C-alpha cells in the first residue's frame, strides 16, 4: 500500500488472490486495486477496503483472482474454418480445404473472424494472444477494438500471398505495420516467416534483419512434424533447428511454434540459444503431428509457453481445456503421472507465455506496478467444489466458461460474462454469414 486513501478506478475484493509472483503470495480473502492500466495495490480485503477509494468495486466472493492467460500461438481468424474439415489426412486437409478457403479470404473476413476469436478468448480468460495470419492489419484492428493485448504479424513465405502478392510487398507491408503500431498500448507487431520449408534461407535472413532493425520478435513454425524434418533435411542437408542455427537465427528473440520433432542436438540448440518455444498440444494431437518433448525442454531450461494454434486444428481457443490436455498428454507420453504438474502447466500458460512474447516484466502476475491483465474465475460451481488446491482446480477441472470477469490493461472487457468491448451477436452473425461463402450449404 503506497498511502492511506489511495484512489483507484477499480477494486476487486473478497476473492482468493493468486498473485503468481516470485514468492507465490496468496491473499484470501484478498483483492487488487487498479488505476489506469496498472495494478497499484494487492493484499487482504480488509486492508484494501480501509485504504482504497475506488470508482467501481467488484465483490468477487467465492472466486479466484489471477493473472490472465497468454495464448502464445494462434491464427485467430481461422475461427471461420472451425469444423469445416476434420478427421482428414494432413495434406488432404490442407490442400483441399484450408488453402482453397484461404485463397478467397478478404480483409473483412479476417477482421470478423478475429473479433470472434477475441470474444472467445476474453470469455475464456485469455488476455494476450500471439497471432500469425494474412491481412494482419485487420487482426491488429480487431484486437484493439476488442480491447485484448496482442502480438501480431503477417505470415511471410516464398510464394505469392492472397493478401500482399509478392514477398517484396510482404516485407514492406510488415515494416509499415511495425511502424504504424509502434507505441500502441495493446498491439505490437512481429516479423513472421511461416516455416523453414516455405521460406528460403534468403527470406529467413531478410526477416531476421527486419526484426533486428526494429527490435521486434521473429516468429516461425519450427519442426512441427517428421515430414518437415525430412523435407528440410533433403533440401538443406540439416534438420530444421540446425538449419536455423546455421543461418544464425536461433536466439532469445525467436519464438518457435510447435518444436515437436526434435532430436537431442535440436534440444541442446534450443536450450543454449535461449529460443522461446510455444507448445500446442491439442493441435499436435488432432493433426497427429506427434508429442513435443516438453518435459525435457523444461528440464533443460527452455522457456515453453502454451498456445492453441488455429481453430481449424483444435477446434477452440479455450486455454483452460488446453492446460488440461497438456498436463495429461505429457503424463501419458512419459508414462509418469508426475511428469508435468498442474503448477508447471499453469506457469506455461501465464508467465512462460508472457516471457516468450517479450512481456515478462509487464504481465503474468498480479503485483503492484504490473499492467492490470487479470481474470476472475467463479469457483461456486459443482465441478469446482470442494476446494483443496486452486492450481489443481484451474488446470484439471475449470473450463473457460467459469471465467466471470476479464480485465485487460486496466479495462473491464467482460463483466459477469457479458462482453463490454463488442456486440457479440453482431460478431456471431457476421461469422455465420461468412461461413455461407466459405462452404455454401
Ligand atoms: Zn500455427
Amino acid at each position: 500500500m503506497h498511502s492511506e486513501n489511495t484512489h483507484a478506478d477499480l477494486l476487486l475484493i473478497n476473492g482468493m488472490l493468486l498473485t503468481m509472483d516470485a514468492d507465490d503470495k496468496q491473499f484470501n480473502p484478498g483483492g487488487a486495486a487498479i488505476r489506469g492500466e496498472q495494478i497499484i495495490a494487492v493484499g487482504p480485503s480488509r486492508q484494501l477496503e480501509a485504504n482504497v477509494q475506488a470508482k467501481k468495486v467488484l465483490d468477487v466472493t467465492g472466486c479466484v483472482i489471477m493473472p490472465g492467460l497468454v495464448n502464445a500461438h494462434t491464427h485467430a481468424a481461422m475461427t471461420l474454418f472451425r469444423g469445416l474439415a476434420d478427421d482428414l489426412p494432413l495434406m488432404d486437409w490442407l490442400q483441399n480445404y484450408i488453402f482453397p478457403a484461404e485463397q478467397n479470404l478478404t480483409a473483412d473476413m479476417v477482421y470478423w473472424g478475429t473479433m470472434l476469436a477475441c470474444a472467445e478468448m476474453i470469455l475464456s480468460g485469455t488476455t494476450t494472444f500471439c497471432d500469425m495470419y494474412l491481412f494482419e492489419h485487420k487482426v491488429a484492428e480487431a484486437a484493439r477494438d476488442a480491447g485484448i493485448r496482442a502480438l501480431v504479424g503477417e505470415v511471410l513465405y516464398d510464394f505469392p500471398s492472397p493478401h500482399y502478392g509478392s514477398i517484396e510487398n510482404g516485407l514492406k507491408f510488415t515494416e509499415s505495420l511495425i511502424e504504424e503500431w509502434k507505441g500502441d498500448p495493446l498491439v505490437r507487431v512481429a516479423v513472421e516467416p511461416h516455416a523453414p520449408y516455405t521460406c528460403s534461407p534468403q527470406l529467413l535472413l531478410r526477416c531476421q534483419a527486419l526484426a533486428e532493425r526494429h527490435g521486434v520478435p521473429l516468429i516461425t513454425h519450427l519442426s512441427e512434424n517428421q515430414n518437415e524434418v525430412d523435407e528440410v533435411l533433403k533440401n538443406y542437408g540439416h534438420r530444421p533447428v540446425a538449419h536455423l542455427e546455421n543461418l544464425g537465427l536461433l536466439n532469445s528473440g525467436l519464438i518457435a511454434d510447435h518444436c515437436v520433432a526434435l532430436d537431442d542436438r535440436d534440444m541442446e540448440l534450443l536450450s543454449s540459444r535461449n529460443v522461446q518455444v510455444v507448445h500446442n498440444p491439442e493441435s499436435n494431437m488432432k493433426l497427429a503431428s506427434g508429442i513435443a518433448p516438453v518435459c525435457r525442454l523444461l528440464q533443460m531450461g527452455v522457456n515453453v509457453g502454451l498456445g492453441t494454434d488455429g481453430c481449424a486444428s483444435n477446434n477452440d481457443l479455450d486455454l483452460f481445456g488446453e492446460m488440461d490436455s497438456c498436463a495429461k498428454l505429457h503424463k501419458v507420453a512419459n508414462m509418469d503421472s508426475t511428469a508435468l504438474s498442474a503448477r508447471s502447466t499453469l506457469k506455461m500458460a501465464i508467465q512462460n507465455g508472457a516471457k516468450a512474447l517479450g512481456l515478462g516484466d509487464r504481465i503474468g502476475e498480479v503485483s503492484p506496478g504490473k499492467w492490470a491483465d487479470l481474470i476472475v474465475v467463479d469457483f461456486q460451481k459443482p465441478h469446482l467444489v470442494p476446494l483443496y488446491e486452486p492450481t489443481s482446480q484451474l488446470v484439471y477441472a475449470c473450463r473457460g466458461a467459469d471465467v466471470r470477469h476479464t480485465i485487460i490493461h486496466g479495462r473491464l472487457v467482460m463483466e459477469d460474462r457479458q462482453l463490454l468491448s463488442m456486440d457479440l451477436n453482431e460478431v456471431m452473425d457476421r461469422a455465420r454469414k461468412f461461413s455461407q461463402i466459405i462452404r455454401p450449404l
Side-chain angles (χ1 to χ4, degrees), residues 73-75 132 221 224 257-258 309-310:
H73 180 57
T74 60
H75 310 280
M132 174 195 284
H221 294 108
E224 183 169 354
D257 300 319
H258 296 299
D309 210 355

Side-chain angles (χ1 to χ4, degrees), residues 222-226 229 239 241 256-271 277-281 284 289-305 326 329-334 339-340 348:
L222 183 60
S223 248
E224 183 169 354
N225 58 32
Q226 189 58 42
V229 174
R239 298 169 59 86
V241 176
D257 300 319
H258 296 299
C259 296
V260 172
L262 302 178
D263 69 6
D264 288 347
R265 172 143 193 269
D266 293 335
M267 287 188 259
E268 274 155 27
L269 283 170
L270 293 172
S271 168
V277 170
V278 179
H279 178 42
N280 304 273
N284 296 160
S289 301
I291 305 172
V294 165
C295 295
R296 279 198 61 196
L297 289 172
L298 289 171
Q299 279 158 13
M300 293 169 81
V302 179
N303 183 51
V304 185
C326 179
L329 173 64
H330 295 289
K331 290 173 193 299
V332 75
N334 292 280
L340 190 64
M348 284 172 69

Side-chain angles (χ1 to χ4, degrees), residues 91-114:
M91 280 302 141
D92 185 15
W93 174 76
L94 263 180
Q95 286 170 357
N96 296 322
Y97 294 89
I98 300 305
F99 287 160
E102 286 182 342
Q103 286 303 312
N104 298 317
L105 210 62
T106 64
D108 218 24
M109 287 165 85
V110 170
Y111 177 82
W112 290 104
T114 304

